[in-house]
């Protein structure tokens, strides 16, 4: 039997913390009384772990047989070292043991009097007999006979700098081969003057195309590295350019209550209500050019310039004259085009407020802004100045904004370059994780200053002031509005319950309301609440919406005594409401005109019955009937690409006195009717680059709606194709 080498060492670690069963914890009760598993008291056992290593190479020796015997020579456990020279013996009772280590070709090692008192941690070192020889193992874990010499210093002139080029007998390794030295940094790293242009290797593992790593980029591919999509600097190291092209194609067919044409071409078309079938098509191209300076995706942008023109083509076909234009000679069809500048601003970061990317920035120019979660009060793209940022590691976000409005093109809704003479001031703050984790609240203030003006829309209809009341009877009398909004809104979840709510109080005054016929103070309110629960692939939701209406009480705007009054109806600045069904609600998406007047009962994209001439070009009106909406709906994730929507609303007026005075009717009941809708949304590539949406909805008239119009059911069907690069 061969002898052990003089420098061989057995290092045995007794009861390492990770292997001791029932190890005592400082400050804890005795192990025997600790129940880590309820109803189970751990056994008073320990484990033995050790490592056999070569002191020269510091590598473990595999295949060493480890035996543990009682003092009387009775074997209680056996183990062998693994490829790293580690052995383990488990479930040992306290006592005195004898430890033996054996391997063919080596001198055995015997350790007597090894005392294990209980579950405790002990370190024990064992040294072999001096003068013995021990074969070591190389990097592969195979024992060798003669150690190899160490590798000489690397030659910088060799074909592979940093790698050994010759062997030396002075420092043998375990197998007679010198271990490889770690190459220097120059062999592992290469300096690149431009880290963005490092070429990616060619990937052709499967010999066919597909979404594989290192896909070769193309300028027309927005999904992989693309200089036009901000993936690489356009120049320098921190200047990026992002181009976004959007095409929106919309088709809509509907049946609405409309008056019969002035010049009737058919014998039965002289009735009060005409043929309300209509069809419209719209095509928009939106091109956004965004040049910005930044560092990483986490740090806010330092400087930005964005320019976004939009081109629109729209077509409308009706079955009655006087709808597409105030001039009945224009017939029943209309085709119109318009180009508007929807974004054109400069943004600069003023200051970094802390190391966690808190900042304050300013943005000036035409910009998009939605002041709350569901677009209840303000959703516009107008010229303005906005100061914004965040605090407390992005937990608090804030905005201070001022907007000076431009007029809108009537048929496309895009900006013109004519001033609107309306100014809006906004301040809001968002607090994330307020009250509950995942629940965000918002507090806001809005001030709407709408100066007295006269404006006819692009189709020749008077929209400002609204052509009702004094405006019709006593000439075009201008009036201004000073309205203040105090708001509290939220969006998020409280455990499993998804919650979204809003409450707004409107104050201020209208210098001459056309319906009331006098100056009125404003005191209106709006409230909304949506609760939903997600269960597997279904979201069940229920919501409630209320906007206050004005009554004929003497203290209100329609009172009979006094020259003053208070308007209790609620109206917004410019809303784009996504609530109670949104696109799949007939009442929300279709504009219903109030026949024999120049105003609308409802406007597209709004749940309010505000009696204003036009949501974008008209003025807010706080003498209105208000509305109650009770909603039930469900969203279904049918597949990852396909979603389905079901929606139902019951609607009724809050007050009907404004309608009675406006239409000269003695009695109008409160029920508007039932609004139901179905919809689908399909995303073929599982992204927002292609989104196809389609839906149908109807409104079954209630008693109050029948008092104003008739019993005919109103229907609508639409489809939208949105393509984004």
């Amino acid at each position: 039997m061969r002898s052990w080498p003089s420098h061989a060492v057995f290092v045995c670690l007794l009861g390492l913390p990770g292997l001791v069963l029932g190890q005592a914890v400082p400050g804890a009760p005795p192990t025997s009384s600790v129940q880590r598993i309820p109803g189970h008291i751990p056994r008073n056992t320990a484990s033995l772990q050790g490592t056999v290593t070569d002191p020269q190479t510091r590598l473990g020796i595999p295949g060493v047989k480890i035996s543990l015997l009682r003092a009387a020579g009775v074997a209680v456990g056996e183990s062998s070292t693994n490829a790293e020279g580690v052995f383990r013996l488990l479930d040992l009772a306290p006592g005195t043991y004898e430890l033996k280590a054996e391997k063919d070709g080596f001198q055995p090692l015997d350790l007597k009097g090894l005392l294990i008192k209980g579950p405790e941690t002990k370190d024990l070192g064992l040294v072999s007999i001096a003068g013995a020889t021990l074969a070591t193992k190389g990097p592969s874990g195979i024992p060798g006979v003669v150690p190899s010499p160490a590798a000489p210093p690397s030659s910088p002139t060799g074909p592979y700098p940093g790698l050994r080029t010759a062997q030396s007998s002075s420092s043998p390794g375990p197998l007679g081969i010198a271990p490889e030295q770690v190459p220097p940094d120059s062999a592992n790293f290469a300096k690149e003057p431009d880290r963005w242009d490092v070429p990616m290797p060619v990937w052709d593992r499967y010999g066919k195309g597909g979404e594989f790593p290192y896909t070769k980029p193309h300028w027309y591919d927005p999904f992989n590295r693309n200089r036009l999509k901000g993936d690489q600097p356009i120049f320098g190291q921190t200047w990026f350019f992002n181009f976004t092209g959007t095409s929106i194609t919309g088709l809509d067919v509907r049946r609405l209550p409309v008056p019969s044409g002035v010049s009737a071409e058919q014998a039965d078309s002289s009735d009060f209500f005409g043929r309300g079938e209509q069809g419209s098509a719209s095509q928009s191209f939106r091109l956004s050019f965004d040049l910005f300076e930044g560092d990483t995706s986490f740090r806010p942008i330092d400087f930005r310039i964005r320019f976004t023109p939009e081109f629109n083509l729209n077509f409308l076909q009706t079955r009655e004259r006087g709808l597409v234009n105030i001039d009945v000679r224009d017939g029943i069809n209309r085709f119109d085009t318009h180009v508007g500048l929807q974004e054109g601003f400069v943004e600069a970061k003023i200051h970094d407020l802390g190391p966690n990317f808190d900042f304050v920035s300013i943005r000036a120019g035409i910009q998009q802004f939605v002041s709350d979660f569901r677009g209840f009060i303000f959703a516009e793209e107008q010229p303005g100045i906005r100061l914004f940022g965040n605090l407390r590691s992005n937990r608090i976000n804030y905005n201070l904004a001022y907007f000076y409005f431009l007029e809108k093109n009537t048929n496309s809704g895009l900006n013109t370059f004519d001033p609107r003479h309306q100014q809006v001031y906004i301040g809001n703050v968002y607090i994330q994780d307020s009250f509950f984790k995942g629940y965000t609240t918002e507090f806001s203030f809005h001030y709407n200053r709408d100066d007295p003006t006269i404006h006819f829309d692009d189709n020749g209809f008077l929209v400002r002031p609204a052509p009702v009341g004094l405006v019709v009877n006593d000439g075009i009398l201008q009036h201004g509005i000073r309205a203040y909004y105090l708001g509290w809104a939220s969006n998020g979840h409280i455990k499993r319950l998804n919650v979204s709510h809003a409450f707004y109080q409107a104050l201020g005054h209208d210098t001459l309301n056309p319906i009331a016929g006098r100056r009125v103070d404003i005191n209106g309110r709006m409230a909304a609440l949506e609760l939903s629960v997600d269960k597997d692939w279904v979201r069940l939701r229920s919501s409630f919406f209320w906007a206050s209406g004005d009554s004929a009480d003497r203290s209100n705007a329609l009172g009979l005594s006094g020259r003053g009054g208070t308007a209790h109806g609620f109206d917004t600045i410019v809303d784009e409401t996504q609530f109670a069904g949104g696109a799949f609600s007939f009442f929300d998406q279709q504009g219903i005109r109030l026949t024999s007047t120049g105003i609308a009962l409802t406007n597209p994209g709004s749940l309010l019955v505000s009696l204003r001439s036009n949501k974008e070009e008209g003025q807010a009106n706080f003498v209105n009937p208000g509305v109650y909406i009770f909603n039930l709906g469900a969203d279904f994730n049918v597949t990852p690409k396909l979603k389905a929507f079901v929606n139902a609303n019951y609607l009724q007026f809050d007050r009907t006195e404004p309608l009675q005075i406006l239409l000269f009717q003695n009695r109008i009941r409160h029920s508007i009717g039932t609004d139901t809708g179905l919809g689908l949304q399909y995303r073929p590539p599982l992204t927002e680059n292609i989104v196809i949406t389609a839906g149908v909805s109807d409104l079954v008239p209630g008693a109050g709606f029948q008092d104003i119009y008739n019993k005919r059911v109103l229907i609508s069907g639409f489809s939208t194709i949105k393509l984004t690069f």
Side-chain angles (χ1 to χ4, degrees):
M1 182 176 295
R2 300 176 58 181
S3 61
W4 295 69
S6 59
H7 299 289
V9 173
F10 271 102
V11 179
C12 298
L13 305 179
L14 177 62
L16 286 181
L19 295 172
V20 174
L21 303 179
Q23 175 184 338
V25 179
T31 307
S32 59
S33 62
V34 176
Q35 298 187 31
R36 298 186 179 181
I37 302 177
H40 174 74
I41 300 177
R43 294 176 296 172
N44 188 18
T45 59
S47 299
L48 179 63
Q49 175 174 304
T51 305
V52 181
T53 60
D54 184 340
Q56 290 183 349
T57 63
R58 298 185 181 277
L59 298 175
I61 303 175
V64 179
K65 180 181 177 182
I66 305 298
S67 301
L68 190 65
L69 300 88
R70 282 287 191 182
V74 179
V76 296
E78 291 185 354
S79 180
S80 297
T81 58
N82 58 19
E84 286 75 30
V86 177
F87 69 90
R88 295 179 179 88
L89 293 168
L90 308 176
D91 297 331
L92 303 177
T96 302
Y97 294 91
E98 179 182 356
L99 179 67
K100 290 186 177 182
E102 299 174 309
K103 182 176 175 63
D104 291 342
F106 300 97
Q107 181 179 353
L109 184 65
D110 191 358
L111 176 64
K112 298 182 180 180
L114 179 60
L115 179 61
I116 300 178
K117 296 182 178 180
E120 58 179 315
T121 301
K122 297 177 66 176
D123 294 334
L124 184 62
L126 304 179
V127 182
S128 63
I129 301 174
T133 59
L134 172 66
T136 59
K137 72 181 184 72
S140 63
I142 302 175
V145 179
V146 180
S148 302
S154 58
S155 173
T157 60
Y160 300 100
L163 299 181
R164 55 183 173 82
T165 57
Q167 301 295 332
S168 173
S169 58
S170 59
S171 301
L175 297 179
I177 302 175
E180 293 182 344
Q181 296 182 351
V182 177
D185 289 347
S186 60
N188 291 330
F189 304 98
K191 293 182 179 180
E192 290 288 345
D194 189 351
R195 63 190 175 99
W196 301 99
D197 288 331
V198 177
M200 295 290 102
V202 178
W203 179 274
D204 191 21
R205 180 176 181 180
Y206 303 105
K208 62 179 181 179
E211 295 183 358
F212 303 129
Y214 314 132
T215 301
K216 184 178 180 181
H218 301 280
W219 68 267
Y220 53 82
D221 179 9
F223 296 99
N224 295 288
R225 290 207 310 173
N226 192 323
R227 195 179 297 271
L228 297 179
K229 299 300 294 181
D231 297 327
Q232 298 172 265
I234 197 71
F235 56 84
Q237 293 286 322
T238 59
W239 282 94
F240 298 84
F241 175 76
N242 185 14
F243 168 75
T244 302
T246 305
S247 169
I248 302 177
T249 305
L251 299 173
D252 188 276
V253 293
R254 53 188 177 264
R255 182 166 66 201
L256 300 171
V258 299
S260 60
V262 177
S263 298
E265 294 182 348
Q266 297 184 13
D268 61 350
S269 64
S270 59
D271 294 336
F272 185 82
F273 290 102
R275 294 164 296 180
E277 292 78 14
Q278 302 178 8
S280 65
S282 175
Q283 175 63 56
S284 295
F285 297 99
R286 186 182 180 99
L287 309 177
S288 181
F289 305 89
D290 190 7
L291 177 66
F292 59 94
E293 181 186 13
D295 190 10
T296 69
S297 59
F298 300 100
R299 181 184 175 192
I301 289 173
D302 294 321
F303 187 82
R304 163 178 276 161
I305 300 175
R306 180 179 291 178
F307 178 77
T308 305
E310 185 168 341
F311 309 84
N312 178 265
L313 302 88
N314 57 83
F315 174 77
L316 173 65
Q317 183 177 47
T318 68
R319 301 188 65 189
E320 296 290 349
R321 293 180 180 271
L323 299 179
V324 300
N325 196 285
I326 196 170
D327 189 346
V328 296
R329 294 173 297 178
D330 284 348
I332 60 175
N333 298 332
R334 180 186 69 220
F335 176 75
D336 193 19
T337 62
H338 185 70
V339 179
L341 182 60
Q342 300 308 108
E343 287 182 311
F345 63 80
V346 176
E347 175 186 322
K349 184 169 64 176
I350 299 175
H351 188 60
D352 285 316
L353 302 180
N356 297 324
F357 305 114
D358 291 334
F359 70 99
V360 56
S361 292
I362 190 169
R363 178 181 295 180
I366 302 175
Q367 55 191 286
Q368 184 183 69
F369 188 76
V370 180
S371 63
D372 61 23
F373 301 102
R374 299 298 185 96
F376 285 120
I377 293 295
F378 184 90
E380 263 290 6
E381 291 176 316
Q382 292 286 1
I385 300 176
R386 176 182 162 215
L387 186 74
F388 64 98
N390 61 326
L391 297 169
R392 297 191 63 184
S393 302
N394 200 37
R395 185 182 177 189
I396 300 176
N397 302 86
Y398 57 88
N399 295 278
L400 292 173
Y402 164 79
F403 294 95
Y404 185 83
F405 277 27
L406 297 174
E407 292 283 7
K408 294 287 186 178
N409 176 262
T410 304
N411 302 321
S412 66
L414 301 181
N415 290 331
T416 68
F417 290 100
D418 298 325
R420 168 72 167 78
H421 301 293
Q422 180 182 5
Q423 303 170 63
V424 174
Y425 303 79
I426 301 174
N428 61 18
V429 59
Y430 298 86
I431 305 175
Q432 301 183 50
D433 294 334
S434 57
F435 306 114
F436 303 93
K437 296 292 185 182
Y439 185 71
T440 302
T441 56
E442 177 205 7
F443 299 95
S444 64
F445 171 81
H446 297 72
Y447 171 44
N448 179 25
R449 177 176 177 174
D450 197 346
D451 295 330
T453 52
I454 298 176
H455 178 67
F456 293 85
D457 69 14
D458 295 310
N459 300 320
F461 295 98
L462 177 65
V463 293
R464 198 167 63 242
V468 292
L470 290 177
V471 176
V472 176
N473 299 328
D474 299 337
I476 302 178
L477 302 178
Q478 305 176 40
H479 67 104
I481 295 174
R482 304 290 186 266
Y484 308 86
Y485 298 87
L486 302 175
W488 173 37
S490 72
N491 195 65
H493 65 87
I494 302 175
K495 296 184 179 181
R496 289 193 56 196
L497 184 66
N498 304 309
V499 180
S500 182
H501 102 281
F503 176 82
Y504 286 96
Q505 171 70 53
L507 302 169
H509 68 273
D510 185 345
T511 60
L512 182 63
N513 185 272
I515 300 177
R518 56 186 173 183
R519 182 188 187 278
V520 297
D521 294 325
I522 299 170
N523 185 12
R525 287 163 295 280
M526 187 218 83
L529 174 65
E530 179 182 280
L531 303 175
S532 64
V533 176
D534 296 320
K535 183 174 179 59
D536 295 332
W537 53 283
V538 179
R539 168 170 288 190
L540 304 174
R541 51 183 169 80
S542 175
S543 60
F544 167 78
F545 181 87
W546 169 67
S548 62
D550 195 60
S551 69
D553 186 87
R554 291 179 180 271
S555 64
N556 293 339
L558 299 176
L560 301 178
S561 65
R563 298 182 59 84
T566 301
H568 289 282
F570 182 85
D571 201 0
T572 65
I573 304 174
V574 182
D575 59 327
E576 189 64 38
T577 307
Q578 302 297 324
F579 196 78
F584 307 106
S585 165
F586 184 96
F587 196 77
D588 181 84
Q589 287 301 301
Q590 298 298 330
I592 304 174
R593 306 296 297 182
L594 201 58
T595 52
S596 75
T597 72
I599 61 176
L601 184 71
T602 65
N603 282 281
S606 176
L607 294 173
L608 297 174
V609 184
S610 58
L611 304 184
R612 63 197 289 178
S613 58
N614 183 291
K615 184 178 72 173
E616 295 174 330
E617 298 176 84
Q619 291 176 291
N621 173 43
F622 297 89
V623 179
N624 62 63
V627 68
Y628 283 98
I629 301 177
F630 304 89
N631 167 263
L632 289 175
D635 305 339
F636 304 90
N637 292 316
V638 183
T639 70
K641 298 182 178 182
L642 181 65
K643 296 183 67 174
F645 307 88
V646 178
N647 185 74
N649 296 326
Y650 173 73
L651 311 104
Q652 69 175 42
F653 298 116
D654 181 32
R655 310 291 300 190
T656 59
E657 289 87 346
L659 292 170
Q660 295 175 24
I661 293 175
L662 191 62
L663 300 176
F664 300 99
Q665 291 185 227
N666 292 330
R667 180 173 178 266
I668 296 179
R669 289 167 286 186
H670 286 261
S671 177
I672 299 175
T674 304
D675 169 17
T676 58
L678 301 172
L680 295 173
Q681 187 178 84
Y682 181 55
R683 301 183 304 152
L686 277 176
T687 66
E688 299 300 318
N689 294 77
I690 301 177
V691 181
I692 303 173
T693 307
V696 294
S697 59
D698 64 9
L699 177 62
V700 179
F705 198 87
Q706 294 177 28
D707 292 336
I708 302 173
Y709 300 101
N710 52 36
K711 297 182 179 180
R712 199 172 190 186
V713 176
L714 308 182
I715 58 175
S716 170
F718 78 95
S719 65
T720 302
I721 301 175
K722 182 178 180 181
L723 308 176
T724 304
F725 172 82

